[in-house]
Amino acid sequence: MAGRFVIFTDLDGSLLDAETYSFQAARPALQKLKKKQVPIILCTSKTRAETEVIARKIGLNHPFIVENGGAIFIPAGYFTSEQLRNSGYKVIRKGDYLVIQLGLPYRQLRQFMVSTRKKFKLKVKGFGDCRPEEIARLTGLGLKEARLAARREYDEPLWFEDPSRTRLFREKVREAGLKLVRGGRFFHLTGKNDKGRAVRILKNLYRKKLGQLISLGLGDADNDWPMLKEVELPGLVARPDGQPVGLKQVPENIYKTKKAGPAGWAEAINYWLKVTQTKASP
Ligand SMILES: [Mg+2]
């Protein structure tokens, strides 16, 4: 296997600890990758506002995928305008980023959720029903981070206070042409987008920029499955509770980590660095 490494990674429960949101245990592995100039693309259900802060903390200046594939944020100048033009997708400017939007506007998702809830008397609640204090309590985030998590554009995290009616809601979601996927902590209501489509688009752009690629993917939950299907080397990060993830088909070459969270993330990276003879430097 030859080519340049490109890494797509989930955040919560993968690169970040599911409880503390720390990436401390992955620091040495991140350092190794940075030295080799391997692009690390965050691919998360978090918002753009949250992901930006985390990317800055880790010291990344690469594109990132937010809200379960709702949009790809690309730092201006990262790809040439010709490469972007040839992507086949509309690119819009938002601040310092060029953005490819794949999801439905959040307002539309909320409208669907609120009207379905009312019509069928469902006890389903989402971030849009909560004050930041409540989001902080539910997620264990600080209040500042919870405010960033509330700035949603393409994905509504939700949960059922009456789980026996989950199936009915799921049916209505499907009828409306929307999607409901399970993340580490919540369900997520989105448009037709998923992490996989966003990964595919970025892989094509990277091929133009870097040539032959070996793409790696790391995730821990069902919503990561579309991403793991798109990469050459998929990795499943163990959950702290040891609960297996309900992946429908597991790719043959998937690497399942023994350790959970960022320690498991580092374990997979170290394993792949060892087994592949990759010239990851330019
Ligand atoms: Mg996760």
Side-chain angles (χ1 to χ4, degrees):
M1 213 185 267
R4 294 277 307 268
F5 267 6
V6 177
I7 298 178
F8 295 91
T9 181
D10 172 50
L11 286 175
D12 293 3
S14 301
L15 180 53
L16 305 184
D17 183 276
E19 297 298 324
T20 65
Y21 298 103
S22 160
F23 60 90
Q24 199 56 37
R27 258 185 209 278
L30 283 166
Q31 223 38 50
K32 265 187 225 170
L33 295 171
K34 263 189 220 166
K35 248 197 197 149
K36 292 178 182 288
Q37 301 188 13
V38 175
I40 300 169
I41 293 113
L42 307 180
C43 184
T44 175
S45 52
K46 288 182 179 297
T47 62
R48 170 242 178 125
E50 291 177 281
T51 312
E52 256 181 335
V53 171
I54 293 160
R56 209 174 302 137
K57 263 192 204 157
I58 303 173
L60 301 177
N61 193 27
H62 298 290
F64 53 83
I65 297 164
V66 301
E67 298 192 53
N68 278 312
I72 306 170
F73 281 80
I74 302 165
Y78 193 90
F79 297 113
T80 65
S81 35
E82 198 196 337
Q83 286 165 350
L84 287 170
R85 225 183 1 259
N86 292 339
S87 73
Y89 288 87
K90 192 177 158 202
V91 179
I92 58 164
R93 179 101 195 192
K94 273 193 179 185
D96 295 334
Y97 297 99
L98 297 168
V99 185
I100 298 177
Q101 296 189 99
L102 303 166
L104 280 183
Y106 181 65
R107 190 177 14 90
Q108 233 168 293
L109 300 170
R110 280 294 300 174
Q111 265 166 13
F112 164 82
M113 183 181 155
V114 170
S115 66
T116 307
R117 174 169 69 189
K118 202 170 155 201
K119 195 165 167 198
F120 299 98
K121 299 191 173 56
L122 299 175
K123 288 186 181 151
V124 54
K125 246 179 119 177
F127 275 21
D129 301 302
C130 298
R131 297 185 49 75
E133 288 77 4
E134 203 175 350
I135 295 176
R137 191 174 51 74
L138 285 164
T139 55
L141 290 169
L143 190 55
K144 210 170 103 195
E145 288 80 18
R147 286 208 176 92
L148 301 180
R151 284 163 56 179
R152 313 215 60 91
E153 294 173 278
Y154 315 97
D155 165 308
E156 174 69 332
L158 57 83
W159 59 97
F160 296 91
E161 289 175 344
D162 177 9
S164 66
R165 318 270 324 267
T166 311
R167 181 183 260 186
L168 175 69
F169 187 75
R170 206 180 262 291
E171 265 172 42
K172 298 297 151 197
V173 167
R174 208 175 19 237
E175 282 168 24
L178 305 177
K179 260 183 164 171
L180 191 68
V181 288
R182 200 192 261 278
R185 224 176 255 265
F186 303 106
F187 285 94
H188 292 266
L189 178 66
T190 64
K192 281 271 188 238
N193 50 287
D194 60 34
K195 289 186 176 188
R197 189 168 165 217
V199 166
R200 217 156 47 229
I201 295 168
L202 272 178
K203 271 178 70 179
N204 282 332
L205 282 164
Y206 272 111
R207 251 183 235 119
K208 287 179 199 141
K209 183 183 165 87
L210 303 175
Q212 208 177 339
L213 302 179
I214 300 172
S215 57
L216 279 56
L218 282 158
D220 74 317
D222 285 354
N223 62 330
D224 296 314
W225 178 231
M227 166 179 78
L228 297 181
K229 273 202 311 200
E230 292 296 333
V231 295
E232 278 84 50
L233 298 175
L236 189 62
V237 180
R239 308 279 283 256
D241 56 9
Q243 282 297 315
V245 182
L247 294 181
K248 283 150 210 123
Q249 309 156 263
V250 175
E252 244 172 58
N253 65 339
I254 200 161
Y255 179 80
K256 292 185 184 173
T257 71
K258 285 165 203 75
K259 295 176 193 156
W265 194 93
E267 179 196 323
I269 295 295
N270 288 327
Y271 170 77
W272 283 324
L273 287 176
K274 215 164 88 186
V275 297
T276 50
Q277 309 247 312
T278 308
K279 264 176 78 188
S281 47

